[in-house]
Amino acid sequence: MIHAADIGIGISGQEGLQAVMSSDFAISRFRHLKKLLLVHGHWCYSRLARMVVYYFYKNVCYVNLLFWYQFFCGFSGSTMIDYWQMIFFNLFFTSLPPLIFGVLDKDISAETLLALPELYKSGQNSECYNSMTFWICIVDAFYQSLVCFFIPYLTYKDSDIDVFTFGTPINTISLATILLHQAMEMKTWTIIHGLVLAGSFLMYFVVSLVYNAICINCNSPTNPYWVMEGQLSDPTFYLICFVTPVTALLPRYFFLSLQGTYGKSLILKAQKIDKLPMDKRDLEIQSWRNRQRPAPIPEEAQHTHHPVPPVPEQDFRANSPKSSSPSKYK
């Protein structure tokens, strides 16, 4: 059964050593299966599903920035962002936050998940990752890439800036938008989440400042030498870095607000219960469980139900086929 299952769970013991060696998860007692399934199983599905959707969004949003630029460079394949900056973007600046998001995020507390086992149905029904959530993510990524590219384009239009001076604000804006998008999707905030998000953003500026200061002849004939230093002294850079992420994330914020206000899924209701104080949360969980129980049958309905009268013995004998004589049985 372990080999035939999608995810095998083995129970350690004197007879279960082979099952433990062949399983994906091992538990010491059968009673631990409840928490493993209802809590950690739900968390694992929710984390992985939302992390996969976020990876699709992140890559589509960033790559489309280069696609929109091709309309202005004759589809020559040139980029407005330095090659090392593009490599560092996925390798350092946006690699660790999604991993922390996929490991530590918890959409609902363990106590609520154990008290309401029906919340496990969200994973069985694929509520976090389906075709609708995927296409909403892709459309949102296209929209955010349009905003992150064309607001700086309209700002610097008809100016005499070089290509990397145009691409550096776009790269900075896209990083801020992608990290803030992940911050909006997080259900749990810890010190680790905050340090990773803030550290990724600060690492971008530190690496960019050091790289632009020493890269005199790195990408001839156009070099990013002293580009970031010049941008940090320009008030226009700060203005578009504030206006563009807000404009790009407004539809996502509006969508999440509508989903949290008018959503009818069990997960959203459980998340609202989790935000209540301890005493009120227990009362809400108790009322939820009372609503899920089947209604008792009224006493009048029980009295009106008449049992079927037994069949008289003589009628049974009369209707039954003729049996053999007792002497033959002997």
Side-chain angles (χ1 to χ4, degrees):
M1 186 169 61
I2 292 292
H3 294 287
D6 294 330
I7 297 177
I9 300 174
I11 301 176
S12 60
Q14 189 173 2
E15 297 86 5
L17 182 60
Q18 184 179 0
V20 169
M21 296 298 293
S22 304
S23 63
D24 300 299
F25 298 94
I27 54 178
S28 58
R29 297 290 186 271
F30 191 81
R31 57 187 173 88
H32 297 159
L33 183 62
K34 179 181 179 181
K35 188 172 183 179
L36 177 64
L37 184 67
L38 299 181
V39 177
H40 297 284
H42 173 84
W43 282 346
C44 185
Y45 165 75
S46 175
R47 292 165 179 168
L48 291 179
R50 290 187 288 125
M51 187 182 68
V52 168
V53 172
Y54 179 77
Y55 267 110
F56 278 116
Y57 151 80
K58 178 174 72 77
N59 289 284
V60 170
C61 182
Y62 192 68
V63 171
N64 274 331
L65 297 174
L66 308 178
F67 174 71
W68 304 129
Y69 182 68
Q70 299 308 306
F71 289 96
F72 302 94
C73 67
F75 287 90
S76 61
S78 60
T79 62
M80 71 289 190
I81 304 172
D82 182 74
Y83 294 116
W84 283 106
Q85 290 278 24
M86 288 191 293
I87 294 173
F88 291 157
F89 190 89
N90 275 325
L91 189 61
F92 295 117
F93 308 144
T94 60
S95 60
L96 191 57
L99 296 179
I100 298 298
F101 175 64
V103 172
L104 299 179
D105 198 59
K106 300 176 182 178
D107 57 345
I108 304 174
S109 64
E111 294 78 13
T112 304
L113 289 172
L114 288 174
L116 303 172
E118 56 268 23
L119 297 177
Y120 187 74
K121 293 181 181 178
S122 64
Q124 295 174 323
N125 299 332
S126 300
E127 294 181 6
C128 292
Y129 185 76
N130 50 46
S131 59
M132 183 177 179
T133 56
F134 173 80
W135 287 112
I136 289 176
C137 162
I138 297 299
V139 171
D140 194 20
F142 268 94
Y143 165 77
Q144 293 186 18
S145 66
L146 279 169
V147 173
C148 291
F149 179 84
F150 281 99
I151 288 183
Y153 170 77
L154 295 175
T155 303
Y156 292 109
K157 188 178 180 181
D158 299 329
S159 64
D160 57 349
I161 61 173
D162 58 35
V163 62
F164 286 150
T165 306
F166 169 65
T168 299
I170 295 178
N171 200 32
T172 307
I173 290 166
S174 63
L175 176 66
T177 303
I178 288 172
L179 292 180
L180 289 175
H181 181 101
Q182 181 176 353
M184 294 170 62
E185 293 292 329
M186 283 182 179
K187 308 301 180 183
T188 303
W189 273 96
T190 62
I191 298 178
I192 300 177
H193 289 82
L195 289 177
V196 167
L197 287 175
S200 298
F201 198 66
L202 291 176
M203 184 191 297
Y204 166 76
F205 282 100
V206 172
V207 172
S208 298
L209 288 171
V210 174
Y211 174 69
N212 291 168
I214 64 176
C215 186
I216 301 176
N217 241 348
C218 297
N219 196 10
S220 182
T222 305
N223 294 294
Y225 179 69
W226 217 252
V227 172
M228 179 60 77
E229 286 80 358
Q231 289 290 332
L232 292 179
S233 61
D234 185 10
T236 306
F237 174 77
Y238 296 98
L239 179 62
I240 61 175
C241 285
F242 175 76
V243 173
T244 308
V246 172
T247 308
L249 293 172
L250 269 179
R252 169 61 58 171
Y253 179 78
F254 184 69
F255 173 75
L256 292 177
S257 300
L258 288 179
Q259 190 180 37
T261 305
Y262 300 104
K264 297 182 179 180
S265 67
L266 298 179
I267 298 297
L268 293 174
K269 295 179 180 178
Q271 289 173 354
K272 294 178 181 178
I273 292 176
D274 261 343
K275 297 178 181 178
L276 298 175
M278 184 68 68
D279 52 349
K280 293 184 179 180
R281 186 178 66 177
D282 294 340
L283 292 176
E284 287 292 333
I285 291 176
Q286 187 63 35
S287 62
W288 181 321
R289 298 171 74 174
N290 291 335
R291 289 194 300 267
Q292 296 295 329
R293 292 174 183 172
I297 302 175
E299 295 183 1
E300 297 178 357
Q302 294 179 0
H303 289 302
T304 55
H305 178 70
H306 299 286
V308 179
V311 181
E313 186 178 356
Q314 57 182 1
D315 295 340
F316 175 74
R317 291 177 180 178
N319 295 331
S320 61
K322 294 181 179 180
S323 59
S324 302
S325 59
S327 60
K328 292 183 179 180
Y329 282 110
K330 292 179 183 178

